[in-house]
Amino acid sequence: MARKQVPGADAPHLNQRQAGTSGTGAQRAASAAAPGRPRWWTELPLIVLVYAAYSAGRLVVKGDVSSAVDHGLAILRIEKSLHLNAEHPLNRLFTEHAWLGVPSDFAYASLHYLVTPAILIWLFRRRPAHYRAARTWLMTSTLLGLVGFMLLPTCPPRLLESTYGFVDSMAQYSSYGWWGSEASAPRGLGGMTNQYAAMPSLHVGWALWCGVMLWRHGRTPLMRALAIAYPLLTTIVVMGTANHYFLDAVAGAATMGLGLLLTRPALRLAHRVRSRFAPVTLAARSTVVSAGCETSAGERIPQQRGAGSGSANADSTAGAAESGAATAAR
């Protein structure tokens, strides 16, 4: 006995198939809206631009020498009143023992140029999901440090008069390295750097960023040990070489903390700018091929599913049912 076909009986299945197709399109749209894997050809120019702006800004905001000296002496007085004056004993230790002073000068002059980019590249290659937030945190904090240099030019301990008890270890051991006696910059290029950009200490700030990245994303005990050791050793080095006060180091850590708080708003702003100037047409990613035609699972040729597609499908189903019934009657 032939089963009677009810017109439109397959409509629920058709609607479910269309809903499933629509859901897949929504998932694709959501994935398209999310930022993809970072690309080196967009990241490298951005990093170079920010660092060039930072370097140029340091030169522009040199400030008045007398004001920088006053600020340095004020910091020194505050530290002495709080019994935080660790710079003097460390500086004496480094300048009396070359086996400590020379490696420390090398570390001060080079490590922040080597370790920080190395960890940034490591995140880019091995932890791409966390790279953008880490990069944004580093850049935001660096620009905040530039604001500090502008508002508070500070004479480092090594440039104070000798009566204050500090020895310039960079000048003392300059024959061992590439730097000159006037700065940690390459010999002869001391005038191309701002020696009064000491508050906050971005040597310490960047080292703290490196430590956090190693602690959060490293997977071995060695990584965890380096995460703790590198910021601590950097803090000791910047004080022992008389390049920074202890409060400069504290300010560097505080700058990184403020930069971390601003990271999420900065990422949201960057996403808005990217969406405004480089919009993605999500409709192009839907299953619609052209003029109301779309493909479904198992179909090779697109079929028209316009406004009247539902009634057309129902009529064709009904016609097939009537033909089947007539054949059975014969």
Side-chain angles (χ1 to χ4, degrees):
M1 182 176 181
R3 187 178 62 175
K4 184 177 181 181
Q5 298 288 335
V6 179
D10 291 337
H13 301 285
L14 180 62
N15 292 336
Q16 291 177 1
R17 184 174 62 181
Q18 290 177 343
T21 304
S22 176
T24 304
Q27 292 174 357
R28 290 177 180 174
S31 63
R37 185 184 180 93
R39 306 296 182 181
W40 69 266
W41 56 83
T42 58
E43 290 298 317
L44 184 59
L46 176 63
I47 294 173
V48 170
L49 178 63
V50 171
Y51 187 76
Y54 163 75
S55 300
R58 279 172 56 104
L59 292 176
V60 171
V61 300
K62 279 190 174 182
D64 182 66
V65 175
S66 61
S67 298
V69 172
D70 291 340
H71 293 154
L73 293 177
I75 291 173
L76 193 59
R77 286 193 296 269
I78 293 173
E79 288 188 359
K80 287 183 176 180
S81 66
L82 297 174
H83 304 285
L84 296 174
N85 184 21
E87 298 91 333
H88 276 110
L90 285 173
N91 183 239
R92 284 195 298 269
L93 184 65
F94 281 23
T95 54
E96 290 175 1
H97 301 282
W99 64 274
L100 284 174
V102 173
S104 297
D105 285 340
F106 270 99
Y108 181 83
S110 62
L111 281 188
H112 64 295
Y113 290 123
L114 300 176
V115 177
T116 310
I119 292 181
L120 201 59
I121 294 172
W122 171 67
L123 290 171
F124 178 84
R125 293 177 59 86
R126 299 298 181 90
R127 306 290 187 270
H130 305 282
Y131 169 78
R132 279 194 176 90
R135 175 257 287 159
T136 304
W137 178 20
L138 180 64
M139 289 184 174
T140 304
S141 303
T142 299
L143 295 178
L144 289 174
L146 184 60
V147 174
F149 301 154
M150 178 178 62
L151 298 178
L152 196 67
T154 303
C155 178
R158 66 184 182 86
L159 295 182
L160 293 175
E161 294 182 1
S162 59
T163 55
Y164 291 100
F166 291 103
V167 177
D168 188 348
S169 70
M170 302 296 294
Q172 178 179 344
Y173 298 122
S174 61
S175 60
Y176 289 87
W178 63 85
W179 58 87
S181 59
E182 72 278 7
S184 61
R187 190 174 285 107
L189 298 179
M192 298 299 294
T193 186
N194 181 3
Q195 300 189 70
Y196 300 107
M199 170 63 82
S201 171
L202 287 185
H203 275 75
V204 173
W206 291 341
L208 179 61
W209 177 87
C210 293
V212 172
M213 294 301 107
L214 290 175
W215 183 270
R216 291 186 62 186
H217 306 300
R219 293 176 179 173
T220 64
L222 176 60
M223 288 285 196
R224 294 292 181 93
L226 291 175
I228 297 173
Y230 183 55
L232 290 179
L233 290 176
T234 301
T235 304
I236 293 173
V237 164
V238 300
M239 291 192 295
T241 57
N243 279 285
H244 289 281
Y245 305 95
F246 175 73
L247 289 183
D248 293 346
V250 173
T255 299
M256 298 307 295
L258 181 57
L260 180 60
L261 293 177
L262 295 176
T263 296
R264 185 170 294 180
L267 285 172
R268 284 199 296 263
L269 178 61
H271 179 69
R272 289 187 189 133
V273 171
R274 189 164 52 245
S275 301
R276 182 185 181 95
F277 292 100
V280 177
T281 307
L282 299 179
R285 295 180 176 268
S286 69
T287 57
V288 176
V289 179
S290 63
C293 294
E294 66 178 34
T295 58
S296 300
E299 290 183 343
R300 295 180 178 272
I301 302 176
Q303 297 182 8
Q304 185 75 23
R305 294 193 180 97
S309 60
S311 59
N313 291 336
D315 292 342
S316 62
T317 304
E322 291 174 359
S323 177
T327 301
R330 291 194 191 99

